[in-house]
Coordinates of all heavy atoms in Angstrom, one line a residue:
M1 N -50.3 -173.5 87.0 CA -49.5 -172.5 86.3 C -48.6 -171.8 87.3 O -48.9 -171.4 88.4 CB -50.4 -171.5 85.7 CG -49.7 -170.3 85.0 SD -50.8 -169.2 84.1 CE -51.8 -168.5 85.4
W2 N -47.3 -171.7 86.9 CA -46.3 -171.0 87.7 C -45.9 -169.7 87.1 O -45.8 -169.5 85.9 CB -45.0 -171.9 87.8 CG -45.3 -173.0 88.7 CD1 -45.7 -174.3 88.3 CD2 -45.1 -173.0 90.1 NE1 -45.8 -175.1 89.4 CE2 -45.4 -174.3 90.5 CE3 -44.7 -172.1 91.0 CZ2 -45.4 -174.7 91.9 CZ3 -44.7 -172.4 92.4 CH2 -45.0 -173.7 92.8
I3 N -45.8 -168.7 87.9 CA -45.4 -167.3 87.5 C -44.1 -167.1 88.3 O -44.1 -167.2 89.5 CB -46.4 -166.3 87.9 CG1 -47.8 -166.6 87.2 CG2 -46.0 -164.9 87.4 CD1 -48.8 -167.0 88.2
A4 N -43.1 -166.7 87.5 CA -41.8 -166.4 88.2 C -41.2 -165.1 87.6 O -41.4 -164.9 86.4 CB -40.8 -167.6 88.0
W5 N -40.5 -164.4 88.4 CA -39.8 -163.2 87.9 C -38.5 -162.9 88.7 O -38.3 -163.5 89.8 CB -40.8 -162.0 88.0 CG -41.2 -161.6 89.4 CD1 -40.6 -160.7 90.2 CD2 -42.3 -162.1 90.1 NE1 -41.4 -160.6 91.4 CE2 -42.4 -161.4 91.3 CE3 -43.3 -163.0 89.8 CZ2 -43.4 -161.7 92.3 CZ3 -44.3 -163.3 90.7 CH2 -44.3 -162.6 91.9
I6 N -37.7 -162.2 88.1 CA -36.4 -161.8 88.6 C -36.2 -160.3 88.4 O -36.6 -159.7 87.4 CB -35.3 -162.6 88.0 CG1 -34.0 -162.4 88.8 CG2 -35.1 -162.3 86.5 CD1 -32.9 -163.4 88.4
E7 N -35.6 -159.6 89.4 CA -35.3 -158.2 89.3 C -33.8 -158.1 89.5 O -33.3 -158.5 90.6 CB -36.1 -157.5 90.3 CG -36.1 -156.0 90.2 CD -37.0 -155.3 91.2 OE1 -37.5 -156.0 92.1 OE2 -37.3 -154.1 91.0
L8 N -33.1 -157.5 88.6 CA -31.7 -157.4 88.6 C -31.3 -155.9 88.8 O -31.7 -155.1 88.0 CB -31.1 -157.9 87.3 CG -31.5 -159.3 86.9 CD1 -31.2 -159.6 85.5 CD2 -30.8 -160.3 87.9
D9 N -30.5 -155.7 89.8 CA -30.0 -154.3 90.1 C -28.6 -154.2 89.5 O -27.7 -155.0 89.9 CB -30.0 -154.1 91.6 CG -29.7 -152.6 92.0 OD1 -29.7 -151.8 91.1 OD2 -29.5 -152.4 93.2
L10 N -28.4 -153.3 88.6 CA -27.1 -153.2 87.9 C -26.4 -151.9 88.2 O -27.0 -150.8 88.3 CB -27.3 -153.3 86.4 CG -28.1 -154.5 85.9 CD1 -28.3 -154.4 84.4 CD2 -27.4 -155.8 86.2
L11 N -25.1 -152.0 88.2 CA -24.2 -150.8 88.2 C -23.5 -150.8 86.9 O -22.9 -151.7 86.5 CB -23.2 -150.9 89.4 CG -22.2 -149.7 89.4 CD1 -22.9 -148.4 89.7 CD2 -21.1 -150.0 90.4
L12 N -23.7 -149.7 86.1 CA -23.1 -149.6 84.8 C -21.7 -149.0 84.9 O -21.4 -148.2 85.7 CB -24.0 -148.7 83.9 CG -25.5 -149.0 83.9 CD1 -26.3 -148.1 83.0 CD2 -25.7 -150.4 83.5
G13 N -20.9 -149.5 83.9 CA -19.5 -149.1 83.9 C -19.3 -147.6 83.5 O -19.8 -146.7 84.2
D14 N -18.6 -147.4 82.5 CA -18.1 -146.1 82.0 C -19.3 -145.4 81.3 O -19.3 -145.3 80.1 CB -16.9 -146.2 81.1 CG -16.3 -144.9 80.8 OD1 -16.4 -144.0 81.6 OD2 -15.7 -144.8 79.7
V15 N -20.3 -144.9 82.1 CA -21.5 -144.3 81.5 C -21.6 -142.9 82.2 O -21.5 -142.8 83.4 CB -22.7 -145.1 81.8 CG1 -24.0 -144.4 81.4 CG2 -22.6 -146.5 81.0
H16 N -21.8 -141.9 81.4 CA -21.9 -140.5 81.9 C -23.1 -139.7 81.6 O -23.3 -138.6 82.1 CB -20.6 -139.7 81.5 CG -19.4 -140.4 81.8 ND1 -18.9 -140.4 83.1 CD2 -18.5 -141.0 81.1 CE1 -17.7 -141.1 83.1 NE2 -17.5 -141.5 81.9
T17 N -24.0 -140.3 80.8 CA -25.2 -139.7 80.4 C -26.4 -140.7 80.3 O -26.1 -141.9 80.2 CB -25.1 -139.0 79.1 OG1 -25.0 -140.0 78.0 CG2 -24.0 -138.0 79.0
L18 N -27.6 -140.3 80.3 CA -28.7 -141.2 80.2 C -28.7 -141.8 78.8 O -29.2 -142.9 78.6 CB -30.0 -140.4 80.5 CG -30.3 -140.1 81.9 CD1 -31.5 -139.2 82.1 CD2 -30.3 -141.3 82.8
K19 N -28.2 -141.0 77.8 CA -28.2 -141.6 76.4 C -27.2 -142.8 76.4 O -27.4 -143.8 75.7 CB -27.7 -140.5 75.5 CG -27.8 -140.9 74.0 CD -27.5 -139.7 73.1 CE -27.6 -140.1 71.7 NZ -27.4 -139.0 70.8
E20 N -26.0 -142.6 77.0 CA -25.1 -143.7 77.1 C -25.7 -144.9 77.9 O -25.4 -146.1 77.5 CB -23.8 -143.3 77.8 CG -22.9 -142.3 76.9 CD -21.7 -141.8 77.6 OE1 -21.5 -142.1 78.9 OE2 -20.9 -141.1 77.0
K21 N -26.4 -144.6 78.9 CA -27.1 -145.7 79.7 C -28.0 -146.5 78.7 O -28.0 -147.7 78.8 CB -27.9 -145.1 80.8 CG -28.7 -146.1 81.6 CD -29.6 -145.4 82.6 CE -30.4 -146.4 83.4 NZ -31.2 -145.8 84.4
R22 N -28.8 -145.8 77.9 CA -29.7 -146.5 77.0 C -28.9 -147.4 76.1 O -29.4 -148.5 75.7 CB -30.5 -145.5 76.2 CG -31.7 -145.0 77.0 CD -32.7 -144.3 76.0 NE -32.1 -143.3 75.1 CZ -31.9 -142.0 75.5 NH1 -32.2 -141.6 76.6 NH2 -31.3 -141.2 74.6
S23 N -27.7 -146.9 75.6 CA -26.9 -147.7 74.7 C -26.4 -149.0 75.3 O -26.0 -149.9 74.6 CB -25.8 -146.9 74.1 OG -24.8 -146.6 75.0
V24 N -26.3 -149.0 76.7 CA -25.9 -150.2 77.4 C -27.1 -151.1 77.7 O -27.0 -152.3 77.5 CB -25.1 -149.8 78.6 CG1 -24.8 -151.1 79.5 CG2 -23.8 -149.1 78.3
V25 N -28.1 -150.5 78.2 CA -29.3 -151.3 78.7 C -30.1 -151.9 77.6 O -30.5 -153.1 77.7 CB -30.2 -150.4 79.6 CG1 -31.4 -151.1 80.0 CG2 -29.4 -150.0 80.9
R26 N -30.4 -151.2 76.5 CA -31.2 -151.7 75.5 C -30.7 -153.0 74.9 O -31.5 -153.9 74.7 CB -31.4 -150.7 74.4 CG -32.5 -149.7 74.7 CD -32.7 -148.8 73.5 NE -33.8 -147.9 73.7 CZ -34.1 -146.9 72.9 NH1 -33.4 -146.7 71.9 NH2 -35.2 -146.2 73.2
P27 N -29.4 -153.1 74.6 CA -28.9 -154.4 74.0 C -29.0 -155.6 75.0 O -29.3 -156.7 74.6 CB -27.5 -154.1 73.7 CG -27.3 -152.7 73.5 CD -28.4 -152.1 74.5
I28 N -28.9 -155.3 76.3 CA -29.1 -156.4 77.3 C -30.5 -156.8 77.3 O -30.8 -158.0 77.3 CB -28.6 -155.9 78.7 CG1 -27.1 -155.6 78.7 CG2 -29.0 -156.9 79.8 CD1 -26.6 -154.9 80.0
V29 N -31.4 -155.9 77.4 CA -32.9 -156.2 77.4 C -33.2 -157.0 76.1 O -33.9 -158.0 76.1 CB -33.7 -155.0 77.5 CG1 -35.2 -155.3 77.2 CG2 -33.5 -154.4 78.9
A30 N -32.7 -156.6 75.0 CA -33.0 -157.2 73.7 C -32.4 -158.7 73.7 O -33.1 -159.6 73.2 CB -32.5 -156.4 72.5
E31 N -31.2 -158.8 74.2 CA -30.6 -160.2 74.2 C -31.4 -161.1 75.1 O -31.6 -162.3 74.8 CB -29.2 -160.1 74.5 CG -28.5 -161.5 74.4 CD -27.0 -161.4 74.6 OE1 -26.4 -160.3 75.0 OE2 -26.4 -162.5 74.5
V32 N -31.7 -160.6 76.3 CA -32.5 -161.5 77.2 C -33.8 -161.9 76.5 O -34.2 -163.1 76.6 CB -32.8 -160.7 78.5 CG1 -33.8 -161.5 79.4 CG2 -31.5 -160.6 79.3
R33 N -34.5 -161.0 75.9 CA -35.8 -161.3 75.3 C -35.6 -162.3 74.2 O -36.4 -163.3 74.0 CB -36.4 -160.0 74.7 CG -37.8 -160.2 74.1 CD -38.4 -158.9 73.6 NE -38.7 -158.1 74.7 CZ -38.2 -156.8 74.9 NH1 -37.4 -156.3 74.0 NH2 -38.6 -156.1 75.9
R34 N -34.6 -162.1 73.4 CA -34.3 -163.0 72.2 C -33.9 -164.4 72.7 O -34.4 -165.4 72.2 CB -33.2 -162.4 71.3 CG -32.9 -163.2 70.1 CD -31.8 -162.6 69.3 NE -30.5 -162.4 70.0 CZ -29.7 -163.4 70.3 NH1 -29.9 -164.6 70.0 NH2 -28.6 -163.1 71.0
R35 N -33.0 -164.5 73.6 CA -32.4 -165.8 74.0 C -33.4 -166.6 74.9 O -33.3 -167.9 74.8 CB -31.1 -165.6 74.7 CG -30.0 -165.2 73.8 CD -28.7 -165.3 74.3 NE -28.3 -166.6 74.8 CZ -27.2 -166.7 75.5 NH1 -26.4 -165.7 75.8 NH2 -26.9 -167.9 76.0
F36 N -34.2 -166.0 75.7 CA -35.0 -166.7 76.7 C -36.5 -166.6 76.4 O -37.3 -167.2 77.1 CB -34.7 -166.3 78.1 CG -33.3 -166.6 78.5 CD1 -32.3 -165.6 78.5 CD2 -32.9 -167.8 78.8 CE1 -31.0 -165.8 78.8 CE2 -31.6 -168.1 79.1 CZ -30.6 -167.1 79.1
D37 N -37.0 -165.8 75.5 CA -38.4 -165.6 75.2 C -39.2 -165.3 76.4 O -40.2 -165.9 76.7 CB -38.9 -166.8 74.5 CG -40.2 -166.5 73.8 OD1 -40.5 -165.4 73.4 OD2 -41.0 -167.5 73.6
V38 N -38.7 -164.3 77.2 CA -39.4 -163.9 78.4 C -39.8 -162.4 78.2 O -39.4 -161.7 77.4 CB -38.5 -164.0 79.7 CG1 -38.2 -165.4 80.0 CG2 -37.2 -163.1 79.5
S39 N -40.8 -162.0 79.1 CA -41.1 -160.6 79.2 C -40.0 -159.9 80.0 O -39.6 -160.3 81.1 CB -42.4 -160.3 79.9 OG -43.4 -160.9 79.1
V40 N -39.4 -158.8 79.4 CA -38.3 -158.2 80.1 C -38.3 -156.7 79.8 O -38.7 -156.3 78.7 CB -36.9 -158.8 79.6 CG1 -36.7 -158.7 78.1 CG2 -35.7 -158.2 80.4
A41 N -37.9 -155.9 80.8 CA -37.9 -154.4 80.6 C -37.0 -153.8 81.7 O -36.7 -154.4 82.7 CB -39.3 -153.9 80.7
E42 N -36.6 -152.5 81.4 CA -36.0 -151.7 82.4 C -37.1 -151.3 83.3 O -38.1 -150.6 82.9 CB -35.3 -150.6 81.8 CG -34.5 -149.7 82.8 CD -33.8 -148.6 82.2 OE1 -33.8 -148.4 81.0 OE2 -33.2 -147.8 83.0
V43 N -37.0 -151.6 84.6 CA -38.2 -151.3 85.5 C -37.9 -150.3 86.6 O -38.8 -150.1 87.4 CB -38.7 -152.7 86.1 CG1 -39.2 -153.6 85.0 CG2 -37.6 -153.4 86.9
G44 N -36.7 -149.8 86.6 CA -36.4 -148.8 87.7 C -35.1 -148.1 87.5 O -34.4 -148.4 86.5
E45 N -34.9 -147.1 88.3 CA -33.7 -146.3 88.3 C -33.6 -145.5 87.0 O -32.5 -145.3 86.4 CB -32.4 -147.1 88.5 CG -32.4 -148.1 89.7 CD -32.7 -147.4 91.0 OE1 -32.8 -146.2 91.1 OE2 -32.9 -148.2 92.0
H46 N -34.7 -145.1 86.4 CA -34.7 -144.4 85.1 C -33.9 -143.1 85.1 O -33.4 -142.7 84.0 CB -36.1 -144.2 84.7 CG -36.9 -145.5 84.5 ND1 -36.7 -146.3 83.4 CD2 -37.9 -146.0 85.2 CE1 -37.5 -147.3 83.5 NE2 -38.2 -147.2 84.6
D47 N -33.9 -142.4 86.2 CA -33.2 -141.1 86.2 C -31.8 -141.1 86.6 O -31.1 -140.1 86.7 CB -34.0 -140.1 87.1 CG -34.2 -140.7 88.5 OD1 -34.0 -141.9 88.7 OD2 -34.5 -139.9 89.4
L48 N -31.2 -142.3 87.0 CA -29.8 -142.4 87.4 C -29.1 -143.0 86.2 O -29.4 -144.1 85.7 CB -29.7 -143.3 88.6 CG -30.5 -142.9 89.8 CD1 -30.3 -143.9 91.0 CD2 -30.0 -141.5 90.3
Y49 N -28.0 -142.4 85.8 CA -27.3 -142.8 84.6 C -26.3 -144.0 84.8 O -26.0 -144.7 83.9 CB -26.6 -141.7 83.8 CG -25.5 -141.0 84.6 CD1 -24.2 -141.5 84.6 CD2 -25.8 -139.8 85.3 CE1 -23.2 -140.8 85.2 CE2 -24.8 -139.2 85.9 CZ -23.5 -139.7 85.9 OH -22.5 -139.0 86.6
R50 N -25.9 -144.2 86.1 CA -25.0 -145.4 86.3 C -25.7 -146.6 87.0 O -25.0 -147.5 87.3 CB -23.8 -144.9 87.2 CG -23.0 -143.9 86.5 CD -21.5 -144.0 86.8 NE -20.9 -145.4 86.7 CZ -20.1 -145.8 87.7 NH1 -19.8 -145.1 88.7 NH2 -19.6 -147.1 87.5
R51 N -27.0 -146.5 87.2 CA -27.7 -147.6 87.8 C -28.9 -148.0 86.8 O -29.4 -147.1 86.1 CB -28.3 -147.2 89.1 CG -27.3 -146.9 90.2 CD -26.5 -148.1 90.7 NE -27.4 -149.1 91.4 CZ -27.7 -149.0 92.7 NH1 -27.2 -148.1 93.4 NH2 -28.4 -150.0 93.2
A52 N -29.2 -149.3 86.9 CA -30.4 -149.7 86.1 C -31.0 -150.9 86.9 O -30.3 -151.6 87.6 CB -30.0 -150.2 84.7
R53 N -32.3 -151.1 86.7 CA -33.0 -152.2 87.2 C -33.7 -152.9 86.1 O -34.5 -152.2 85.4 CB -33.9 -151.8 88.4 CG -34.3 -153.0 89.2 CD -35.1 -152.7 90.4 NE -34.8 -151.4 91.0 CZ -35.7 -150.6 91.5 NH1 -36.9 -150.9 91.4 NH2 -35.3 -149.4 92.0
I54 N -33.5 -154.1 85.9 CA -34.1 -154.9 84.8 C -35.0 -156.0 85.4 O -34.5 -156.7 86.3 CB -33.1 -155.5 83.8 CG1 -32.3 -154.3 83.1 CG2 -33.7 -156.4 82.8 CD1 -31.2 -154.8 82.3
G55 N -36.2 -156.1 84.9 CA -37.1 -157.2 85.4 C -37.4 -158.1 84.3 O -37.6 -157.7 83.1
A56 N -37.5 -159.4 84.6 CA -37.9 -160.4 83.6 C -38.9 -161.3 84.3 O -38.8 -161.7 85.4 CB -36.7 -161.2 83.1
G57 N -39.9 -161.8 83.5 CA -40.9 -162.6 84.0 C -41.3 -163.7 83.0 O -41.2 -163.6 81.8
I58 N -41.7 -164.9 83.6 CA -42.1 -166.0 82.8 C -43.3 -166.7 83.4 O -43.5 -166.7 84.6 CB -40.9 -167.0 82.6 CG1 -41.3 -168.2 81.7 CG2 -40.5 -167.5 84.0 CD1 -40.1 -169.1 81.4
V59 N -44.2 -167.2 82.5 CA -45.3 -168.1 83.0 C -45.0 -169.4 82.4 O -44.7 -169.6 81.2 CB -46.6 -167.5 82.4 CG1 -47.8 -168.4 82.8 CG2 -46.9 -166.1 83.0
S60 N -45.1 -170.5 83.2 CA -44.8 -171.8 82.8 C -45.7 -172.8 83.5 O -46.2 -172.6 84.6 CB -43.3 -172.1 83.1 OG -43.0 -173.5 82.8
G61 N -45.9 -174.0 82.9 CA -46.6 -175.1 83.5 C -45.7 -175.8 84.5 O -46.2 -176.6 85.3
D62 N -44.4 -175.6 84.5 CA -43.5 -176.3 85.3 C -42.6 -175.4 86.0 O -41.9 -174.5 85.5 CB -42.6 -177.2 84.3 CG -41.6 -178.0 85.1 OD1 -41.9 -178.5 86.2 OD2 -40.5 -178.2 84.5
R63 N -42.6 -175.5 87.4 CA -41.8 -174.6 88.2 C -40.3 -174.7 87.9 O -39.6 -173.7 87.8 CB -42.0 -174.9 89.7 CG -41.2 -174.0 90.6 CD -41.6 -174.3 92.1 NE -40.9 -173.3 93.0 CZ -39.8 -173.6 93.6 NH1 -39.2 -174.8 93.5 NH2 -39.3 -172.7 94.4
A64 N -39.8 -175.9 87.8 CA -38.4 -176.1 87.5 C -37.9 -175.5 86.2 O -36.9 -174.9 86.2 CB -38.1 -177.6 87.4
H65 N -38.8 -175.5 85.2 CA -38.4 -174.9 83.9 C -38.4 -173.3 84.1 O -37.4 -172.7 83.6 CB -39.4 -175.2 82.9 CG -39.3 -174.4 81.6 ND1 -38.2 -174.6 80.7 CD2 -40.0 -173.4 81.1 CE1 -38.3 -173.7 79.8 NE2 -39.4 -172.9 80.0
A66 N -39.3 -172.8 84.8 CA -39.3 -171.3 85.0 C -38.1 -170.9 85.8 O -37.5 -169.9 85.4 CB -40.6 -170.9 85.8
L67 N -37.7 -171.6 86.8 CA -36.5 -171.2 87.6 C -35.2 -171.4 86.8 O -34.3 -170.6 86.9 CB -36.5 -172.0 88.9 CG -37.6 -171.8 89.9 CD1 -37.5 -172.7 91.1 CD2 -37.7 -170.3 90.2
E68 N -35.2 -172.4 86.0 CA -34.1 -172.7 85.1 C -33.9 -171.5 84.1 O -32.8 -171.0 83.9 CB -34.3 -174.0 84.3 CG -33.1 -174.3 83.4 CD -33.4 -175.6 82.7 OE1 -33.7 -176.6 83.4 OE2 -33.3 -175.7 81.4
V69 N -35.0 -171.0 83.6 CA -34.9 -169.8 82.7 C -34.4 -168.6 83.4 O -33.5 -167.9 82.9 CB -36.3 -169.6 82.0 CG1 -36.3 -168.2 81.3 CG2 -36.6 -170.7 81.1
L70 N -34.9 -168.4 84.6 CA -34.5 -167.2 85.4 C -33.0 -167.3 85.8 O -32.3 -166.3 85.8 CB -35.3 -167.1 86.7 CG -36.8 -166.7 86.5 CD1 -37.4 -166.5 87.8 CD2 -37.0 -165.5 85.6
D71 N -32.5 -168.6 86.0 CA -31.1 -168.8 86.3 C -30.3 -168.3 85.0 O -29.2 -167.7 85.2 CB -30.8 -170.2 86.6 CG -31.2 -170.6 88.0 OD1 -31.5 -169.8 88.8 OD2 -31.4 -171.9 88.2
G72 N -30.8 -168.7 83.9 CA -30.1 -168.3 82.6 C -30.1 -166.8 82.4 O -29.0 -166.3 82.0
V73 N -31.2 -166.2 82.7 CA -31.2 -164.7 82.6 C -30.2 -164.1 83.5 O -29.4 -163.2 83.1 CB -32.6 -164.2 82.9 CG1 -32.6 -162.7 83.0 CG2 -33.6 -164.6 81.8
E74 N -30.1 -164.5 84.8 CA -29.2 -164.0 85.7 C -27.7 -164.2 85.3 O -26.9 -163.3 85.3 CB -29.4 -164.6 87.1 CG -28.5 -164.0 88.2 CD -28.8 -164.5 89.5 OE1 -29.8 -165.2 89.8 OE2 -28.0 -164.2 90.4
R75 N -27.4 -165.4 84.8 CA -26.1 -165.7 84.3 C -25.7 -164.8 83.1 O -24.6 -164.3 83.0 CB -25.9 -167.2 83.9 CG -25.7 -168.1 85.1 CD -25.2 -169.5 84.6 NE -26.2 -170.1 83.7 CZ -27.3 -170.8 84.0 NH1 -27.5 -171.0 85.3 NH2 -28.1 -171.3 83.1
L76 N -26.6 -164.7 82.2 CA -26.4 -163.8 81.0 C -26.0 -162.4 81.4 O -25.0 -161.8 80.9 CB -27.6 -163.9 80.1 CG -27.4 -162.9 78.9 CD1 -26.5 -163.5 77.8 CD2 -28.8 -162.6 78.3
V77 N -26.9 -161.8 82.2 CA -26.6 -160.4 82.6 C -25.4 -160.3 83.5 O -24.6 -159.4 83.3 CB -27.9 -159.9 83.3 CG1 -27.6 -158.5 83.9 CG2 -29.1 -159.9 82.4
A78 N -25.2 -161.2 84.4 CA -24.0 -161.2 85.3 C -22.7 -161.3 84.4 O -21.6 -160.8 84.8 CB -24.0 -162.2 86.3
G79 N -22.8 -162.0 83.3 CA -21.6 -162.2 82.5 C -21.3 -161.0 81.6 O -20.2 -161.1 80.9
R80 N -22.1 -160.0 81.5 CA -21.8 -158.9 80.6 C -20.7 -158.0 81.2 O -20.8 -157.6 82.4 CB -23.1 -158.0 80.4 CG -24.2 -158.7 79.8 CD -24.0 -159.0 78.3 NE -23.9 -157.8 77.5 CZ -24.7 -157.5 76.5 NH1 -25.7 -158.4 76.2 NH2 -24.5 -156.4 75.9
P81 N -19.7 -157.7 80.5 CA -18.5 -157.0 81.1 C -18.8 -155.5 81.4 O -18.1 -154.9 82.2 CB -17.4 -157.1 80.0 CG -18.2 -157.4 78.7 CD -19.4 -158.2 79.1
E82 N -19.8 -155.0 80.7 CA -20.1 -153.5 80.9 C -21.0 -153.2 82.1 O -21.2 -152.0 82.4 CB -20.7 -152.9 79.6 CG -22.1 -153.5 79.3 CD -22.1 -154.7 78.4 OE1 -21.1 -155.5 78.4 OE2 -23.1 -155.0 77.8
V83 N -21.4 -154.2 82.8 CA -22.2 -154.0 84.0 C -21.7 -154.9 85.2 O -21.1 -155.9 85.0 CB -23.7 -154.3 83.8 CG1 -24.3 -153.4 82.7 CG2 -24.0 -155.8 83.5
D84 N -22.0 -154.4 86.4 CA -21.8 -155.2 87.6 C -23.2 -155.5 88.2 O -24.0 -154.6 88.4 CB -21.0 -154.5 88.6 CG -19.5 -154.3 88.2 OD1 -19.0 -155.2 87.6 OD2 -19.0 -153.2 88.4
L85 N -23.4 -156.8 88.4 CA -24.7 -157.2 89.0 C -24.6 -157.0 90.5 O -23.8 -157.7 91.2 CB -25.0 -158.7 88.6 CG -26.3 -159.3 89.2 CD1 -27.5 -158.5 88.7 CD2 -26.4 -160.7 88.8
L86 N -25.3 -156.1 91.1 CA -25.3 -155.8 92.5 C -26.2 -156.7 93.3 O -25.8 -157.2 94.4 CB -25.7 -154.3 92.7 CG -24.8 -153.3 92.1 CD1 -25.4 -151.9 92.4 CD2 -23.4 -153.4 92.6
S87 N -27.4 -157.0 92.7 CA -28.3 -158.0 93.4 C -29.3 -158.5 92.4 O -29.5 -157.9 91.4 CB -29.0 -157.3 94.6 OG -29.9 -156.3 94.1
A88 N -29.8 -159.7 92.8 CA -30.8 -160.3 92.0 C -31.9 -160.8 93.0 O -31.6 -161.6 93.9 CB -30.3 -161.5 91.2
R89 N -33.1 -160.3 92.8 CA -34.2 -160.7 93.6 C -35.2 -161.5 92.8 O -35.5 -161.1 91.7 CB -34.9 -159.5 94.3 CG -34.0 -158.8 95.3 CD -34.7 -157.5 95.8 NE -34.8 -156.5 94.7 CZ -33.9 -155.7 94.3 NH1 -32.6 -155.9 94.7 NH2 -34.1 -154.8 93.3
R90 N -35.6 -162.6 93.2 CA -36.6 -163.4 92.5 C -37.7 -164.0 93.3 O -37.6 -164.0 94.5 CB -35.8 -164.6 91.8 CG -35.2 -165.5 92.7 CD -34.6 -166.8 92.0 NE -33.5 -166.5 91.2 CZ -33.1 -167.2 90.2 NH1 -33.7 -168.3 89.9 NH2 -32.1 -166.9 89.4
R91 N -38.8 -164.3 92.6 CA -39.9 -164.8 93.3 C -40.7 -165.7 92.3 O -40.6 -165.5 91.1 CB -40.8 -163.7 93.7 CG -42.1 -164.1 94.5 CD -42.2 -163.4 95.8 NE -43.3 -164.1 96.5 CZ -44.4 -163.4 96.9 NH1 -44.5 -162.1 96.7 NH2 -45.4 -164.0 97.5
D92 N -41.3 -166.7 92.9 CA -42.2 -167.6 92.1 C -43.4 -167.9 92.9 O -43.4 -168.0 94.1 CB -41.4 -168.9 91.6 CG -41.0 -169.7 92.7 OD1 -39.9 -169.5 93.3 OD2 -41.8 -170.6 93.1
M93 N -44.5 -168.1 92.2 CA -45.7 -168.5 92.8 C -46.6 -169.3 91.9 O -46.5 -169.2 90.7 CB -46.5 -167.3 93.3 CG -46.9 -166.3 92.3 SD -47.5 -164.7 93.0 CE -48.9 -165.3 93.9
H94 N -47.4 -170.1 92.5 CA -48.4 -170.9 91.7 C -49.7 -170.1 91.6 O -50.0 -169.3 92.5 CB -48.6 -172.2 92.4 CG -49.3 -173.2 91.6 ND1 -50.7 -173.3 91.5 CD2 -48.8 -174.2 90.7 CE1 -51.0 -174.3 90.7 NE2 -49.9 -174.8 90.2
S95 N -50.4 -170.3 90.5 CA -51.6 -169.6 90.3 C -52.7 -169.8 91.4 O -53.6 -169.0 91.5 CB -52.2 -169.9 88.9 OG -52.4 -171.3 88.8
E96 N -52.5 -170.9 92.1 CA -53.5 -171.2 93.1 C -53.1 -170.6 94.5 O -53.8 -170.8 95.5 CB -53.7 -172.7 93.2 CG -54.4 -173.3 92.0 CD -54.6 -174.8 92.0 OE1 -54.3 -175.4 93.1 OE2 -55.0 -175.3 91.0
D97 N -52.0 -170.0 94.6 CA -51.5 -169.4 95.8 C -52.3 -168.2 96.2 O -52.8 -167.4 95.4 CB -50.0 -169.0 95.8 CG -49.1 -170.2 95.8 OD1 -49.6 -171.3 96.1 OD2 -47.9 -170.0 95.5

C-alpha cells in the first residue's frame, strides 16, 4: 500500500479579509475533492488572509497512480488564476517503510 500527500503553499490574490479568503479557498478544496477523490483540506495559515496551505492525500496500491493523482492536484491548483502557487511539497511512502 502506498500513501502519498502533497502540501501546497498559496498566495491569494485580491483578498482583504478572512471571509474573502474562505470564498477563494473553499471552492478550490471542493474542486480538488470532486475531481480527484482525495482527502483534502486547508491545513495551515488559518489566521493569514492572503496565504493558505492546502494538503491532499491518497492511499493507493500503485505508487505511479498515487503520484499521477498528486501531479493532477498540483496542476489544477497552479492553474487557478486567483492564486499563486508558491511551493509544493510532496512525499510518498510504502506501508512497509
Side-chain angles (χ1 to χ4, degrees):
M1 172 175 66
W2 286 93
I3 303 110
W5 63 93
I6 189 165
E7 192 174 13
L8 305 165
D9 189 11
L10 306 175
L11 177 65
L12 307 181
D14 189 28
V15 173
H16 303 288
T17 67
L18 291 174
K19 187 174 183 178
E20 289 176 353
K21 174 185 179 177
R22 279 194 311 274
S23 73
V24 172
V25 173
R26 277 187 175 171
I28 294 172
V29 168
E31 185 175 5
V32 168
R33 184 177 292 122
R34 181 183 57 79
R35 288 192 55 192
F36 297 102
D37 195 26
V38 295
S39 295
V40 59
E42 183 180 0
V43 295
E45 314 300 356
H46 297 286
D47 56 340
L48 302 175
Y49 63 86
R50 292 218 47 226
R51 296 288 296 273
R53 196 170 331 136
I54 295 175
I58 183 172
V59 175
S60 176
D62 179 37
R63 180 178 186 261
H65 171 71
L67 296 179
E68 182 180 307
V69 170
L70 294 184
D71 287 341
V73 169
E74 184 176 348
R75 276 193 307 274
L76 173 76
V77 175
R80 298 291 293 241
E82 66 272 23
V83 300
D84 291 320
L85 179 60
L86 300 177
S87 69
R89 293 174 296 282
R90 60 173 66 202
R91 180 126 188 240
D92 62 272
M93 62 188 301
H94 193 270
S95 59
E96 295 178 4
D97 287 348

